[in-house]
Amino acid sequence: QVQLVESGGGLVQPGGSLRLSCAVSGTIFSISTMAWYRQAPGKERELVAHITSTYNTNYADSVKGRFTISRDNAKNTVYLHMNSLKPEDTAVYYCNLRRGNLEVWGRGTLVTVSS
């Protein structure tokens, strides 16, 4: 059974940085597309970034140049490096795994950007 566990969220001041981690159990991590989504209060969940099994990446326009997604297949972990954080980045961030018809979500980690 595949499980995703996010960590690294918290309170940060505007302009600050955070690194989110998502640890994945199971054996399909290296052949899966991994993604980070976020959901702000009162808004729909949106894609932040994804990284394929061949390390191709894609980002939402709102985070390009500030966020970087990366993966470590040896550790079954995907990361989201977030720099120059803004109050509008405040949201619950969710990790997502996709492989064929399989899609698995983590429970989320809260990021709050506030002074």
Side-chain angles (χ1 to χ4, degrees):
Q1 184 176 2
V2 179
Q3 292 185 323
L4 283 59
V5 179
E6 302 99 335
S7 61
L11 174 64
V12 62
Q13 292 187 340
S17 299
L18 278 178
R19 187 186 76 165
L20 304 184
S21 301
C22 174
V24 180
S25 64
T27 60
I28 63 170
F29 177 81
S30 65
I31 57 173
S32 300
T33 291
M34 300 300 303
W36 287 96
Y37 287 75
R38 68 185 180 186
Q39 187 166 18
K43 295 188 177 181
E44 294 186 353
R45 191 173 297 189
E46 64 174 357
L47 176 66
V48 176
H50 82 250
I51 183 167
T52 69
S53 59
T54 55
Y55 294 86
N56 291 318
T57 59
N58 188 49
Y59 296 90
D61 287 343
S62 59
V63 307
K64 282 181 181 176
R66 300 189 298 121
F67 291 10
T68 302
I69 189 170
S70 63
R71 65 190 299 160
D72 185 337
N73 288 347
K75 295 182 178 180
N76 275 20
T77 301
V78 62
Y79 303 97
L80 186 68
H81 307 259
M82 306 186 293
N83 298 318
S84 302
L85 283 160
K86 305 175 181 180
E88 52 263 43
D89 295 317
T90 295
V92 177
Y93 284 71
Y94 296 91
C95 184
N96 173 275
L97 176 149
R98 281 184 288 119
R99 173 64 183 174
N101 292 326
L102 176 67
E103 183 172 37
V104 184
W105 292 89
R107 292 188 175 185
T109 185
L110 176 63
V111 172
T112 303
V113 184
S114 175
S115 55

